[in-house]
Amino acid sequence: MKDSSQIGILGLGAYVPKRVLTNLDLEKMVDTSDEWIVTRTGIKQRHLASPGEASSDLGVKAAKKALEDAKLKPEEIDAIITATLSPDHIFPSTACLIQGELGAENAAAFDLGAGCSGFIYACTVAYGLVKAGMEKVLVIGTETISRFVNWQERSTCVLFGDAAGAAVIGRVKEGGIYGWDLGADGRGHDLLKINAGGSREPLTAENIASNRQFLSMSGPEVFRFAVRIIPKTGKKALEKANFEIEDIDWLIPHQANSRIIEAAIESLGIERDKVFVNLERYGNTSAASIPLAWTEGVLEGKIKRGDKLLLIGFGAGLTWAAMVLEY
Ligand code: ACO
């Protein structure tokens, strides 16, 4: 299973914007309550980007921290992959804006769209690029979902937050990525989407008046999908890595809903104190949620070098992804 040319994590970093929106703040904006949000989701507050602060701005800050952690200069990076569902523009890619701002002049740059599974998807692409000859690939999950949320729609606006997380992937002497599972079911594309603003439904005064430029979600159906897919993809990744769940030191699930995480703990048969959860402070930050949780776990001294991790994501598409690695 282990070989001398493993590919793994050279550095990690995350950034959250300063502004905090609590459940009590939301009580003043829509017909909701702190009690409903905490019991149904586990979320107590979320951070929001300031006016003028876009996904690439958060991504640059997270990327700088990951580069510092890896002790690398931007010009040493061969590729930048940005996972996001809230890009600065339809084009050019957010990755190109980040590349320019970092001065990563030797890096190819592109975005990857796989919803909340995007960070793990991007890590597997980075793994493949390193295997194919690149040396260092910067993966960034960054979101300003607050720009795409209808702040008058209580069933969605309470759920999301803005953040960015980043990892540098390259050759490592110890540990590395051991296995993963990726999947999608495009028949579920309607369950979580932004209807207007793309080529299928360009923006018009009429669809803007109907709020079709905002995120819409069939919450209960996405919930059922998540509960079903998490153990399936998690077990597949463990099998590919030749690991048992008992070998895992930390499960880092996508931070969408504490009830989904509870179901994952049950179905995967992992001990509760091996599951890193921080969604009460940040809400669902989509492609940023896993690297944000991971970085925070490291900064809190809980997740350590050498720990065996299982990352699991699910989201719009529908998509899912799991990865087993030694950090
Ligand atoms: N405050 C108070 N009441 C609310 C709120 C709110 N914020 N939101 C909904 N309600 C009400 C509904 O109107 C409904 O009332 P009714 O019974 O009178 O009609 C009731 O609460 C129950 O609504 P449901 O939608 O059935 O609530 P549910 O228990 O399913 O919880 C939730 C909703 C939290 C959205 C849940 O379905 C969920 O977490 N789904 C998964 C979402 C998810 O993980 N999405 C991210 C995917 S990742 C990505 O790619 C972005």
Side-chain angles (χ1 to χ4, degrees):
M1 185 172 59
K2 282 191 189 183
D3 68 52
S4 57
S5 59
Q6 275 287 345
I7 295 163
I9 308 300
L10 302 174
L12 273 184
Y15 175 77
V16 280
K18 289 186 182 53
R19 189 176 153 215
V20 172
L21 187 77
T22 65
N23 291 352
L24 298 180
D25 296 326
L26 277 163
E27 283 183 0
K28 295 175 199 140
M29 296 162 63
V30 285
D31 180 15
T32 191
S33 65
D34 175 53
E35 198 266 333
W36 191 95
I37 302 171
V38 172
T39 14
R40 305 310 289 163
T41 73
I43 300 164
K44 293 183 180 153
Q45 62 170 50
R46 67 288 293 142
H47 288 244
L48 303 185
S50 311
E53 203 176 22
S55 290
S56 68
D57 301 318
L58 308 191
V60 164
K61 288 181 172 145
K64 282 184 176 168
K65 290 187 186 175
L67 289 170
E68 200 181 300
D69 189 39
K71 298 185 178 60
L72 289 171
K73 296 192 190 76
E75 50 277 24
E76 291 176 271
I77 296 298
D78 298 310
I80 298 175
I81 312 172
T82 300
T84 184
L85 52 70
S86 49
D88 288 30
H89 309 285
I90 288 184
F91 72 89
S93 69
T94 301
C96 275
L97 298 179
I98 293 174
Q99 190 254 24
E101 188 60 31
L102 285 175
E105 57 199 37
N106 299 310
F110 60 97
D111 284 0
L112 186 152
C116 303
S117 316
F119 178 76
I120 303 177
Y121 260 72
C123 285
T124 65
V125 175
Y127 178 98
L129 289 175
V130 173
K131 200 118 196 158
M134 281 191 176
E135 285 188 14
K136 279 138 195 137
V137 179
L138 176 59
V139 172
I140 302 161
T142 186
E143 305 283 9
T144 45
I145 311 179
S146 63
R147 298 276 147 69
F148 301 93
V149 159
N150 179 353
W151 288 102
Q152 289 165 355
E153 168 59 58
R154 67 176 182 176
S155 63
T156 49
C157 76
V158 303
L159 303 174
F160 297 97
D162 301 335
V168 185
I169 292 181
R171 300 255 168 212
V172 290
K173 290 198 186 79
E174 305 272 329
I177 295 165
Y178 290 138
W180 68 82
D181 179 58
L182 301 181
D185 182 359
R187 290 168 301 180
H189 69 274
D190 261 341
L191 298 177
L192 179 48
K193 71 191 294 196
I194 293 176
N195 287 293
S199 59
R200 183 162 301 281
E201 188 179 331
L203 289 176
T204 61
E206 288 74 27
N207 59 28
I208 289 174
S210 316
N211 291 321
R212 290 177 66 79
Q213 73 278 28
F214 294 126
L215 177 152
S216 74
M217 178 170 71
S218 307
E221 276 160 288
V222 175
F223 189 98
R224 282 193 290 277
F225 153 71
V227 168
R228 180 171 51 79
I229 209 67
I230 288 174
K232 207 168 157 189
T233 188
K235 282 173 187 167
K236 273 194 182 170
L238 286 167
E239 212 174 284
K240 287 178 189 164
N242 203 13
F243 271 50
E244 301 293 334
I245 192 73
E246 292 75 25
D247 299 324
I248 295 298
D249 297 301
W250 286 102
L251 166 66
I252 308 177
H254 171 45
Q255 311 280 312
N257 184 314
S258 53
R259 291 185 293 138
I260 293 176
I261 295 175
E262 283 303 317
I265 291 171
E266 181 92 0
S267 55
L268 284 165
I270 191 162
E271 293 154 48
R272 186 174 306 269
D273 59 5
K274 289 183 168 181
V275 184
F276 192 85
V277 180
N278 66 355
L279 94 166
E280 68 281 3
R281 273 167 287 149
Y282 304 110
N284 179 349
T285 60
S286 189
S289 101
I290 289 174
L292 172 62
W294 187 354
T295 305
E296 200 165 278
V298 172
L299 292 175
E300 285 176 8
K302 291 179 177 163
I303 302 174
K304 298 188 180 66
R305 282 283 179 186
D307 281 353
K308 318 266 191 323
L309 310 183
L310 172 59
L311 318 178
I312 304 182
F314 59 90
L318 298 167
T319 58
W320 58 89
M323 178 172 271
V324 174
L325 67 126
E326 188 177 326
Y327 170 45

